[in-house]
Amino acid sequence: MTTLAMRNVLIYFRDKLGVFFSLLSVLLIIALFVLFLGNAFTADYGGNIEEVSEVINNWIFAGILGVTTVTTTLGAFVVMVNDKVHHLYKDFYSTPVQRYRIVAGYALGAFVVGTIMSMIIFVVLISYNAVMGNYVMSALNMLITTGVLLLSVLLNAFMIFFFTMFIKTNQAFGAISTILGTLIGFMMGIYVPMGDLPDAIQTLIRFFPQSHTTMLFRQLFIEGIAEEAFLHIPTEYLQAFQEATGVIYVINGYELTRMDSVLFLAGAAIVFFLLSVWRMSRRYV
Amino acid sequence: MEKIIEVKSLMKSYTVQRKEVKAVKGIDFYVEKGTMFSFLGKNGAGKSTTIDILCTLLEPDAGAVMIDGYELGKNDFEIRKSIGIVFQRSLLDPMLTVYENLKIRGRFYKFSRQKLKERIEVVTEIAQLEEFLHRPYEKLSGGQRRRADIARALINTPKILFLDEPTTGLDSRARKDIWATIRALQKEKGVTVFLTTHYMEEAEQSDYITIIGHGEILARGTPLELKLKYCHDLLKLAPKNPERFKQTLMENQIEFIQNGEVIEIKLDSTLEAIPFVERFKDDIINVEIINGTMDDVFLDITGREDT
């Protein structure tokens, strides 16, 4: 399992141009937000107060990092689909290693790739704040963010692994990548603040496990600056604002704690892990 | 002689577009240890299906297979340890170097670090990879790739080496090199070689040939046996007076084919030509004897089933 995972990671990073472009696409989104969209949001929400602008930048960063954990992990599964298309798995299956172990190597490899790529983006975001003289999150929060990031990539690896097992062609994988890449930003509520969406969609987003990654990232990214920025805003108004921007989730009047969301992510990871095991036991004995 | 591979009533069907296609229709054969065995057939004859089954990659519908004393379907792990496969289409990673490929594939056999290093050194020498060991696989020539594939197949010191059309698509020089390597493995290291090919001239160099077509065994034997059984020499004669000569042949009940000015007569052996020519020497201008080749054998055997 580790052998194949190592090979997959090696192959993924050997394609330097591919790695460069997948990082570049995320960096471009960051640049676009910082340069243009951030200002638009700031104008919408709170005039020209500097702290508010910082909060919004960090709110956006959290969303981008959340999406990155999905897209980079997805990208790593290219190796699995290619192996299937070119029948490379035959060579692995001809060795005395159980097939489920070989197949599980793809999930592990994608987890490693997703973690490395997401961590790079995380470092870029933190560095941007540091270089611009903005508020930089506390060391403890960085640690917690890393933990959430690992959990999120793990969930993504299992979930995408499960669906990739059904895919047989590069075209199908390409199509799914495009659809997921487009939908994921929406499902994580990063393009538009949740409050602007219909109630049904909002509920849907709250039950989409990966959106909790973004929510947790938002809390972690803006903690420390939000207090200052919203100092003069009444508490009940603040809660409504946080709910509308997806910083907190309120379901039937109950405000989810961080631990709730972490457990939800972990639970979803376990569900997709079990689904994958079930699928493997049927096909890869 | 010890049988290292024994196949009995092997059957395999596929469903292609809701139609059942019988790829292998109950074949029997065995391979003796240390020999070179050729599995010969046209494309789609069932060669690759059979090889995939023997390599534990495909489950047969029926039949029993013993490989190196292990039963296929029960001891697949032991079988996988004793075989090496050179696939028809190479399955190494194009972007990785030959060395990286060998190291990664070798790890699947759970060698110690030291042992793996040794194995890589050994196979590098056997397949002569030194020159391009650290070059990415995709940058190699066809012949170099094949050598890397063979090295990969040898990494676990297999007792049986399967090669699925190892020389297809190679130039004649590379083909010769590959052949020399395969022969050396069989002769010097005692590896049993099981190869599929559609080149008769290659099969001719092996110890035993089994010809397969449409999922059935059409002929089998040593190259010499097949030649004796299926090969015909051809006596070509240019008669002085074709019409009269034909008349004479018909009167003597000798079968012939007229090919323009030339009369062709099938012979079971070359020597039969001598009394024949002696008898008719006054009627003929020119004589030519064509020795039958293995290609004729192949075409004769596999050609028949198409008509």
Side-chain angles (χ1 to χ4, degrees):
Chain A
M1 187 165 90
T2 47
T3 303
L4 189 79
M6 276 165 58
R7 163 203 174 250
N8 293 351
V9 174
L10 192 63
I11 289 178
Y12 183 85
F13 286 106
R14 188 58 55 91
D15 179 15
K16 295 196 177 70
L17 208 64
V19 174
F20 172 74
F21 277 114
S22 62
L23 283 175
L24 188 70
S25 67
V26 181
L27 295 178
L28 273 176
I29 299 175
I30 295 174
L32 286 176
F33 266 118
V34 168
L35 293 174
F36 307 111
L37 293 169
N39 289 337
F41 280 153
T42 315
D44 277 358
Y45 272 94
N48 288 321
I49 312 159
E50 201 178 315
E51 281 87 358
V52 172
S53 153
E54 244 189 277
V55 167
I56 285 169
N57 263 349
N58 278 290
W59 181 87
I60 292 163
F61 287 174
I64 290 169
L65 188 60
V67 170
T68 305
T69 64
V70 178
T71 52
T72 56
T73 311
L74 176 72
F77 279 100
V78 161
V79 183
M80 177 170 166
V81 178
N82 263 330
D83 284 1
K84 207 185 273 186
V85 171
H86 296 115
H87 300 280
L88 257 62
Y89 63 87
K90 274 170 106 177
D91 195 24
F92 307 130
Y93 285 4
S94 73
T95 64
V97 177
Q98 285 100 331
R99 294 190 177 170
Y100 76 87
R101 281 180 184 237
I102 292 169
V103 181
Y106 291 110
L108 184 61
F111 172 72
V112 174
V113 169
T115 302
I116 294 173
M117 299 287 278
S118 302
M119 282 307 286
I120 291 174
I121 296 300
F122 181 41
V123 169
V124 167
L125 293 171
I126 294 291
S127 311
Y128 173 83
N129 274 342
V131 170
M132 299 302 284
N134 294 341
Y135 178 80
V136 177
M137 71 164 76
S138 68
L140 179 67
N141 273 9
M142 284 186 203
L143 212 64
I144 299 172
T145 306
T146 308
V148 173
L149 187 146
L150 285 171
L151 184 60
S152 177
V153 174
L154 190 70
L155 163 62
N156 297 331
F158 285 140
M159 192 178 92
I160 300 165
F161 175 57
F162 175 70
F163 289 112
T164 308
M165 279 193 276
F166 293 91
I167 293 174
K168 290 194 183 76
T169 63
N170 275 325
Q171 287 84 344
F173 185 71
I176 286 179
S177 298
T178 310
I179 293 169
L180 192 66
T182 315
L183 272 184
I184 197 70
F186 181 73
M187 289 303 285
M188 287 184 144
I190 74 156
Y191 296 136
V192 182
M194 281 175 72
D196 295 350
L197 298 169
D199 283 347
I201 304 288
Q202 287 192 35
T203 311
L204 190 70
I205 292 176
R206 286 193 193 102
F207 281 99
F208 182 61
Q210 273 83 350
S211 81
H212 288 251
T213 306
T214 329
M215 189 203 81
L216 290 168
F217 283 162
R218 281 177 189 143
Q219 293 181 5
L220 293 157
F221 266 81
I222 66 176
E223 203 175 67
I225 35 174
E227 289 85 345
E228 267 182 69
F230 302 114
L231 200 59
H232 308 294
I233 295 168
T235 328
E236 68 268 20
Y237 183 77
L238 185 62
Q239 172 150 11
F241 173 79
Q242 288 188 325
E243 215 186 314
T245 50
V247 177
I248 55 168
Y249 281 179
V250 179
I251 296 172
N252 289 334
Y254 171 72
E255 186 188 326
L256 294 184
T257 63
R258 276 188 197 172
M259 194 41 80
D260 291 333
S261 291
V262 167
L263 288 177
F264 188 46
L265 283 172
I270 291 168
V271 167
F272 278 101
F273 170 74
L274 293 175
L275 279 173
S276 303
V277 169
W278 168 76
R279 175 74 186 161
M280 282 195 289
S281 69
R282 285 175 51 118
R283 280 215 56 191
Y284 307 95
V285 194
Chain B
M1 266 301 226
E2 197 186 327
K3 294 173 184 171
I4 197 160
I5 301 177
E6 195 168 10
V7 176
K8 281 182 185 148
S9 335
L10 189 69
M11 263 192 254
K12 180 74 191 175
S13 311
Y14 293 108
T15 314
V16 180
Q17 291 167 343
R18 290 190 198 152
K19 265 200 247 161
E20 199 190 35
V21 178
K22 285 181 178 155
V24 178
K25 303 171 187 166
I27 58 172
D28 301 80
F29 65 88
Y30 62 86
V31 179
E32 283 176 0
K33 195 173 182 176
T35 60
M36 186 185 278
F37 179 94
S38 280
F39 214 47
L40 192 70
K42 292 181 179 175
N43 291 332
K47 288 175 296 178
S48 289
T49 304
T50 309
I51 245 186
D52 276 358
I53 292 172
L54 297 186
C55 297
T56 75
L57 293 170
L58 199 62
E59 252 181 81
D61 296 338
V65 179
M66 291 291 285
I67 291 175
D68 195 26
Y70 300 107
E71 193 179 338
L72 187 89
K74 284 194 179 149
N75 290 313
D76 286 1
F77 267 54
E78 295 303 322
I79 292 175
R80 287 176 197 157
K81 280 182 201 165
S82 24
I83 61 172
I85 313 162
V86 175
F87 293 94
Q88 191 172 344
R89 265 176 42 198
S90 174
L91 302 182
L92 294 181
D93 290 315
M95 283 197 284
L96 304 183
T97 67
V98 176
Y99 181 80
E100 286 168 332
N101 267 302
L102 291 176
K103 200 170 161 187
I104 289 166
R105 308 301 162 112
R107 281 216 190 103
F108 284 102
Y109 296 91
K110 301 189 175 76
F111 298 127
S112 67
R113 208 169 268 264
Q114 184 57 34
K115 172 90 186 184
L116 180 58
K117 221 181 129 200
E118 278 170 30
R119 284 307 305 160
I120 293 177
E121 277 168 21
V122 170
V123 299
T124 301
E125 203 193 318
I126 294 175
Q128 296 154 19
L129 311 177
E130 296 86 359
E131 201 189 315
F132 48 86
L133 189 61
H134 294 286
R135 215 177 294 165
Y137 184 79
E138 63 186 350
K139 299 258 161 72
L140 306 182
S141 72
Q144 291 172 330
R145 283 184 194 192
R146 262 289 173 253
R147 267 147 70 185
D149 295 343
I150 291 175
R152 150 69 187 99
L154 295 174
I155 198 88
N156 56 322
T157 335
K159 290 181 189 159
I160 309 164
L161 181 63
F162 289 94
L163 301 116
D164 197 359
E165 307 205 354
T167 56
T168 303
L170 298 184
D171 61 47
S172 57
R173 173 71 198 276
R175 204 189 279 182
K176 261 186 191 159
D177 281 356
I178 297 296
W179 261 98
T181 309
I182 298 172
R183 286 212 71 85
L185 277 168
Q186 186 230 338
K187 299 266 186 233
E188 290 157 29
K189 315 258 172 193
V191 177
T192 306
V193 176
F194 183 111
L195 65 93
T196 72
T197 178
H198 52 236
Y199 296 119
M200 194 69 206
E201 36 167 330
E202 288 186 356
E204 196 176 355
Q205 298 179 46
S206 57
D207 300 304
Y208 202 84
I209 301 175
T210 293
I211 301 179
I212 184 173
H214 290 239
E216 285 168 307
I217 288 178
L218 303 174
R220 66 179 100 209
T222 63
L224 190 66
E225 281 167 6
L226 287 177
K227 232 176 174 175
L228 289 176
K229 196 167 171 191
Y230 296 97
C231 231
H232 297 285
D233 289 344
L234 205 61
L235 178 64
K236 286 187 174 181
L237 301 166
K240 282 176 184 160
N241 184 334
E243 285 312 311
R244 209 178 65 208
F245 189 65
K246 271 159 71 181
Q247 198 67 39
T248 321
L249 287 176
M250 277 191 270
E251 277 163 20
N252 287 291
Q253 289 180 329
I254 295 166
E255 277 185 47
F256 67 91
I257 304 161
Q258 190 174 5
N259 199 350
E261 291 281 284
V262 181
I263 302 286
E264 295 178 356
I265 298 164
K266 266 192 184 177
L267 300 175
D268 286 332
S269 81
T270 320
L271 292 178
E272 276 177 31
I274 296 168
F276 192 91
V277 173
E278 184 67 31
R279 189 170 154 198
F280 297 104
K281 64 182 172 195
D282 297 332
D283 301 324
I284 48 190
I285 312 164
N286 189 8
V287 178
E288 191 182 1
I289 302 169
I290 310 285
N291 267 311
T293 64
M294 287 303 271
D295 273 327
D296 298 333
V297 176
F298 182 47
L299 288 176
D300 197 24
I301 295 168
T302 59
R304 264 182 307 186
E305 29 130 17
D306 280 341
T307 48

